[in-house]
Amino acid sequence: MTKRGFTNMYLKNVGIFVEDLEGAKKFFESYFGAKVLKTFDNPAKEYYSYILEFDGQTWVELMKKPETVSLPKDPNRLGLAHICFKIDTREKLNEIISGFKKDGYKIQYEPESEDGPGEVRAITFEDIVIEANYGY
């Protein structure tokens, strides 16, 4: 494959279909400081979405529509494996880890110590696999 020479390119957004739109929005707001940038409501098609902004550049679009299906989600499935957030302090990473545990999310791995660089990976809200790392 030929490199196309793009410059200043970054991932703009990831879209996720969810069953509980409000719950998903609250999850990303509380854990990662997401802000609602836009909403789309189309009652005629029963389509609703929130575009959440994280850092002034990155968005996650949460979407809901009636024709989506809920199938078992093995964390080792093919396709999108996880979403990773880079955290700016170790204290914030520790808060996220504590919150994941308190809220009963399945931790797949976490740092061995509470200081220095580290990463946590968890199966979270509606089986969305989230990583958060500090210092990498």
Side-chain angles (χ1 to χ4, degrees):
M1 178 178 275
T2 305
K3 185 176 177 183
R4 304 226 185 253
F6 293 109
T7 59
N8 298 321
M9 187 171 72
Y10 59 90
L11 181 64
K12 184 64 177 175
N13 75 39
V14 174
I16 306 169
F17 279 112
V18 295
E19 290 181 49
D20 179 358
L21 192 59
E22 292 300 318
K25 177 177 76 82
K26 287 177 185 172
F27 170 82
F28 285 104
E29 287 172 334
S30 68
Y31 277 100
F32 301 104
K35 306 271 188 261
V36 175
L37 183 66
K38 298 179 187 178
T39 60
F40 294 103
D41 295 336
N42 187 334
K45 293 188 177 187
E46 297 180 71
Y47 174 84
Y48 303 92
S49 92
Y50 286 113
I51 294 180
L52 305 178
E53 183 178 54
F54 292 87
D55 58 7
Q57 288 184 308
T58 306
W59 300 352
V60 167
E61 184 173 7
L62 302 173
M63 305 167 290
K64 180 179 176 91
K65 65 181 183 176
E67 56 273 12
T68 58
V69 295
S70 182
L71 300 172
K73 299 173 186 115
D74 187 304
N76 296 312
R77 65 190 176 270
L78 292 174
L80 183 66
H82 64 267
I83 300 170
C84 183
F85 291 90
K86 184 161 182 63
I87 306 305
D88 59 356
T89 69
R90 182 53 199 246
E91 292 76 24
K92 181 63 178 169
L93 179 63
N94 292 342
E95 287 176 29
I96 290 168
I97 294 167
S98 293
F100 283 173
K101 289 178 178 179
K102 180 178 130 297
D103 291 338
Y105 296 130
K106 181 179 180 197
I107 305 288
Q108 293 186 302
Y109 58 79
E110 64 182 295
E112 292 182 15
S113 72
E114 291 188 14
D115 58 352
E119 181 172 73
V120 62
R121 179 182 173 130
I123 302 170
T124 67
F125 189 85
E126 292 193 14
D127 295 329
I128 299 168
V129 180
I130 297 287
E131 287 183 359
N133 73 48
Y134 166 73
Y136 295 123

